[in-house]
Amino acid sequence: MIVQAENLRKYVSAVLQTVGLPVQDSDIVAESLVSANLRGVDSHGVTRLPIYVKRLKLGVANPDPQVKVVEESDATLLIDGDDGMGQVVGTRAIRLGIEKARKSGAVFIGVKRSTHFGTGAFFVQQGVNADLVTYAMSNAPATMAPWGGIQPYIGTNPYAFGVPVGKHKPIILDMATSVVARGKIIMAAQKGEEIPLGWAIDKEGRPTTDAAAALEGSVLPFGGPKGYAISLMIDIMSGVLTGAGFGPHINNIYGDFDKPQNVGHFFQLVDINRFMPADLFKQRIDQMIDEIKSALRAAGTDEIFLPGEIEFRVERQRLEQGIPLSREVYVDIKKVGEECGVSINDYESAILA
Amino acid sequence: MIVQAENLRKYVSAVLQTVGLPVQDSDIVAESLVSANLRGVDSHGVTRLPIYVKRLKLGVANPDPQVKVVEESDATLLIDGDDGMGQVVGTRAIRLGIEKARKSGAVFIGVKRSTHFGTGAFFVQQGVNADLVTYAMSNAPATMAPWGGIQPYIGTNPYAFGVPVGKHKPIILDMATSVVARGKIIMAAQKGEEIPLGWAIDKEGRPTTDAAAALEGSVLPFGGPKGYAISLMIDIMSGVLTGAGFGPHINNIYGDFDKPQNVGHFFQLVDINRFMPADLFKQRIDQMIDEIKSALRAAGTDEIFLPGEIEFRVERQRLEQGIPLSREVYVDIKKVGEECGVSINDYESAILA
């Protein structure tokens, strides 16, 4: 199926409104999901709508949270998300953070009692649009063992970073701290395909190419012990420091239906004007990008990319040509709409093919 | 040779004093170098003394810099290092940062016009001793190609992170963003040994096991494109944002003897008390450490380590038993002392064996 972004966004927002989200919060979540699809990050796109609706209906995610600043200083904010949707809680945090970074020069924001926040890029882009260097991180349910261990302890905690630039597209890094997203292993298991060695270990800690065995074991961190250490840093800042869950004490979005997730996030925003005039900074970062793009390439490499550049190209293409959804995902999101009394047919111009 | 840490420190400081460093600044550099040896990070230990002395004598490093705060806000500092020794400039930055983080809750510090700063752990420990979560990063001369490229563009930019804990040793992460330190490839080349595939590419961009060919090519980032992106982030914050050199526009400590390095650093300090009482934070981080240490281990793994834990053990051992130095390093540091009119024999209790 090929669907049109704007109508898909309206459909997702309409479904979320039926389970208690205010219009503007529904729009935020819909924007995050459809933006992920547009950028080619389909694992964090509308495929998440059914589980979000399920948790909202069960009351383990709060459709209308009282997001509160519980600690504050010139350069820090601690925010209680009241079990709201991560995209809603995170967007409030970023908005408060933009204000504070402009006033104080920079801000560290901890968030507790939140839920799955979608992509880190979604928040980083909000900061970059306000001309701030922005970091977004989150912890996540345990799927990776500590280095040398075999039991999942930390999540594939995402690390995102964005930089305003001049004439180019912004640099937007958004990565899981695992070698690959766990979703790729789930897909291989469903298809009965093998996975490459190095993606995961089985429950005894042995390297495995068996996708099903990998799902019972642990995903491996990117870059071995170094990537594990960065994932641990993210959990310390998002979980331990904020008062959210950490390690295995975060509830699984797909498994723990009796309690909120208690995910924690960690954002940082920096005003470039406190270091040099923004115009000069943008000249310098443009120079860096120009130099990297024109560097000598290895045989077989057609082009050198900056972080986020490929996603911008996919986005441009999908804005023009529509978002391709698998039949499974289309059926899933259609069904959840029907259960909520929203017919995807009312948004039928969403379907291009 | 086995040398005793305290006397080695005095010797290094005495040598640096002869080339114009004030006593307290000499002590800081000596402390950084010997601390690296104590922690087993010999590549950043006293082996650096001869090149430091050479650059100070040539006037491309400034022995008595006027380190100045050139931009300041509640949550940011931009510091001009006046081409001083990185350890001296960085220590002033951290001291100012500790003060500001206590006042404002957190601080981002950019440093320009600095030089090789030794280990990131040295600064992170200073922040952690003041009960602050601390990050230390620096750019470095180009030795890594952008992902897909074959010409070195970014350095093996170090990333360091430290966390105060309760009953355990602090978590101190300090890593290069390359697969391995370039020094290991230099050593292999000197011995005529092969290097493992995956450490480096040759100047045509081909994976190589030939150490000499690797030195003419590029070191590879840890974790492929993800590690490259993190190294790039460090250069953007340390170099582009501060006004220091970036990419290939940083001068090489071992090659460019006609001009200062213009290295940039980037530090972050966060007051944990602005998020929760420090005692509670320390209980939580201790719980995390206890859980990781007691996790089920893979076959062949005797113990699971936290970042920095192995270095603390080496340090305890080397404080008791002395620091082993290779004959080459011993001869080099003895010779540079002689050239400065300082005899290592006057510190002979430094030599244990």
Side-chain angles (χ1 to χ4, degrees):
Chain A
M1 310 293 295
I2 310 283
V3 298
Q4 198 263 333
E6 185 51 30
N7 287 322
L8 183 60
R9 213 179 276 129
K10 286 180 183 157
Y11 171 69
V12 170
S13 178
V15 173
L16 289 167
Q17 287 169 44
T18 68
V19 286
L21 266 79
V23 177
Q24 61 191 25
D25 290 351
S26 299
D27 284 348
I28 288 170
V29 178
E31 170 71 25
S32 163
L33 296 182
V34 175
S35 165
N37 286 120
L38 278 173
R39 293 166 47 82
V41 187
D42 295 311
S43 57
H44 288 64
V46 294
T47 186
R48 302 286 183 155
L49 182 61
I51 191 68
Y52 286 175
V53 168
K54 180 170 180 178
R55 296 189 72 89
L56 286 159
K57 280 185 170 172
L58 286 170
V60 289
N62 183 351
D64 196 13
Q66 299 302 308
V67 179
K68 277 198 299 271
V69 174
V70 287
E71 299 283 349
E72 181 168 11
S73 69
D74 287 337
T76 61
L77 287 167
L78 176 63
I79 288 171
D80 182 328
D82 195 21
D83 301 320
M85 299 299 290
Q87 291 90 342
V88 171
V89 175
T91 297
R92 301 238 177 122
I94 291 282
R95 283 178 192 167
L96 291 168
I98 288 171
E99 213 175 291
K100 193 175 275 285
R102 287 201 174 129
K103 191 159 164 278
S104 298
V107 63
F108 282 77
I109 310 168
V111 178
K112 65 178 169 182
R113 293 184 66 219
S114 188
T115 62
H116 187 263
F117 80 178
T119 68
F122 180 66
F123 305 104
V124 158
Q125 282 172 312
Q126 296 178 42
V128 167
N129 289 343
D131 239 13
L132 301 167
V133 171
T134 307
Y135 294 82
M137 299 169 224
S138 181
N139 62 15
T143 49
M144 290 207 297
W147 193 250
I150 59 179
Q151 272 174 324
Y153 187 85
I154 46 176
T156 61
N157 303 337
Y159 183 98
F161 168 70
V163 187
V165 301
K167 65 182 180 182
H168 293 285
K169 290 285 183 189
I171 292 176
I172 305 281
L173 169 67
D174 186 3
M175 56 182 237
T177 45
S178 49
V179 176
V180 291
R182 198 161 179 272
K184 289 196 184 176
I185 302 175
I186 294 172
M187 278 172 56
Q190 284 166 348
K191 294 180 187 169
E193 291 173 0
E194 289 205 333
I195 57 169
L197 210 60
W199 282 17
I201 50 179
D202 69 16
K203 65 183 177 186
E204 308 295 335
R206 293 172 300 216
T208 186
T209 58
D210 179 334
L215 291 177
E216 287 178 16
S218 281
V219 183
L220 283 170
F222 85 104
K226 293 186 178 185
Y228 154 60
I230 287 185
S231 191
L232 194 67
M233 176 279 290
I234 296 172
D235 200 12
I236 291 169
M237 301 309 283
S238 304
V240 181
L241 183 65
T242 63
F246 60 84
H249 313 294
I250 298 162
N251 296 308
N252 195 308
I253 191 172
Y254 291 105
D256 299 307
F257 292 116
D258 57 340
K259 40 193 181 292
Q261 281 201 275
N262 201 11
V263 165
H265 317 309
F266 177 52
F267 303 106
Q268 300 170 62
L269 298 112
V270 187
D271 183 356
I272 52 186
N273 290 292
R274 305 307 176 110
F275 293 88
M276 63 174 63
D279 285 351
L280 176 58
F281 175 80
K282 288 176 182 178
Q283 277 173 32
R284 286 166 65 84
I285 196 94
D286 278 351
Q287 180 193 339
M288 177 184 247
I289 294 171
D290 286 335
E291 288 173 353
I292 289 174
K293 293 296 291 180
S294 62
L296 282 180
R297 299 187 300 274
T301 298
D302 292 328
E303 187 173 356
I304 296 174
F305 294 103
L306 275 296
E309 196 177 0
I310 292 173
E311 289 80 359
F312 275 113
R313 292 205 191 162
V314 175
E315 185 176 40
R316 197 173 50 199
Q317 193 188 12
R318 291 188 172 186
L319 275 171
E320 285 169 11
Q321 301 171 14
I323 296 168
L325 291 182
S326 71
R327 177 148 294 276
E328 290 79 7
V329 170
Y330 180 77
V331 167
D332 277 358
I333 65 167
K334 180 167 188 279
K335 187 159 154 266
V336 75
E338 282 162 5
E339 288 163 10
C340 295
V342 180
S343 170
I344 203 164
N345 297 329
D346 293 343
Y347 300 82
E348 62 187 6
S349 64
I351 303 152
L352 304 178
Chain B
M1 312 290 299
I2 310 285
V3 298
Q4 197 263 332
E6 185 50 31
N7 288 322
L8 183 61
R9 213 179 275 129
K10 286 180 184 158
Y11 171 69
V12 169
S13 178
V15 172
L16 289 167
Q17 287 170 45
T18 68
V19 287
L21 267 79
V23 177
Q24 61 190 22
D25 290 352
S26 300
D27 285 349
I28 288 169
V29 179
E31 170 70 24
S32 163
L33 296 183
V34 175
S35 164
N37 286 119
L38 279 172
R39 292 166 47 85
V41 188
D42 295 311
S43 58
H44 288 65
V46 295
T47 186
R48 301 288 183 154
L49 181 62
I51 191 67
Y52 285 176
V53 168
K54 180 171 179 177
R55 295 188 74 87
L56 287 160
K57 279 185 171 173
L58 286 170
V60 289
N62 183 352
D64 195 13
Q66 300 301 308
V67 180
K68 279 197 297 273
V69 174
V70 287
E71 299 283 349
E72 181 167 11
S73 70
D74 287 338
T76 61
L77 286 168
L78 176 64
I79 289 171
D80 182 329
D82 195 21
D83 301 319
M85 299 298 291
Q87 291 91 341
V88 171
V89 175
T91 297
R92 300 239 176 119
I94 292 284
R95 283 177 192 167
L96 291 167
I98 288 170
E99 214 174 289
K100 192 173 276 286
R102 287 198 174 130
K103 191 159 164 280
S104 298
V107 63
F108 283 76
I109 311 169
V111 179
K112 64 178 168 180
R113 293 183 67 219
S114 187
T115 62
H116 187 263
F117 81 178
T119 69
F122 180 66
F123 305 104
V124 157
Q125 282 173 312
Q126 295 177 42
V128 168
N129 290 344
D131 239 13
L132 301 167
V133 171
T134 307
Y135 294 81
M137 298 168 225
S138 181
N139 62 14
T143 49
M144 290 207 297
W147 193 250
I150 59 178
Q151 271 174 325
Y153 187 85
I154 47 176
T156 61
N157 303 337
Y159 183 97
F161 169 71
V163 186
V165 300
K167 64 182 181 183
H168 292 284
K169 290 286 182 190
I171 292 175
I172 305 281
L173 169 66
D174 185 4
M175 58 182 236
T177 45
S178 49
V179 176
V180 291
R182 200 160 178 271
K184 289 195 185 176
I185 301 175
I186 295 173
M187 279 172 56
Q190 284 165 349
K191 294 180 186 168
E193 290 173 3
E194 289 204 333
I195 55 168
L197 211 60
W199 282 16
I201 50 177
D202 68 17
K203 64 183 177 185
E204 309 294 335
R206 293 172 299 218
T208 185
T209 59
D210 180 333
L215 291 177
E216 287 177 17
S218 283
V219 183
L220 284 169
F222 85 104
K226 293 186 177 186
Y228 154 61
I230 288 185
S231 191
L232 194 67
M233 176 279 289
I234 296 172
D235 200 12
I236 291 169
M237 301 308 284
S238 304
V240 181
L241 183 65
T242 64
F246 60 84
H249 313 293
I250 298 162
N251 295 308
N252 195 309
I253 190 171
Y254 291 106
D256 299 307
F257 293 115
D258 57 339
K259 39 193 180 288
Q261 281 200 277
N262 202 12
V263 165
H265 317 309
F266 178 52
F267 302 106
Q268 299 170 65
L269 298 112
V270 187
D271 184 356
I272 51 187
N273 290 291
R274 304 308 177 110
F275 293 88
M276 62 174 63
D279 285 351
L280 176 59
F281 175 80
K282 289 176 182 179
Q283 277 172 34
R284 286 166 64 86
I285 196 95
D286 279 352
Q287 179 192 339
M288 177 184 249
I289 294 171
D290 286 336
E291 288 173 353
I292 290 176
K293 294 295 291 180
S294 62
L296 282 180
R297 299 187 299 275
T301 298
D302 292 329
E303 188 173 357
I304 296 175
F305 293 103
L306 275 297
E309 195 178 0
I310 292 174
E311 288 81 359
F312 275 114
R313 292 206 191 162
V314 175
E315 184 176 41
R316 198 174 51 200
Q317 192 188 10
R318 290 189 172 187
L319 275 172
E320 285 169 10
Q321 300 171 16
I323 296 167
L325 292 182
S326 71
R327 177 149 295 274
E328 290 77 8
V329 169
Y330 181 76
V331 168
D332 278 355
I333 65 166
K334 182 169 185 279
K335 185 158 154 269
V336 76
E338 281 161 6
E339 287 163 10
C340 295
V342 180
S343 170
I344 204 165
N345 296 329
D346 294 343
Y347 300 80
E348 63 186 5
S349 62
I351 303 151
L352 304 177

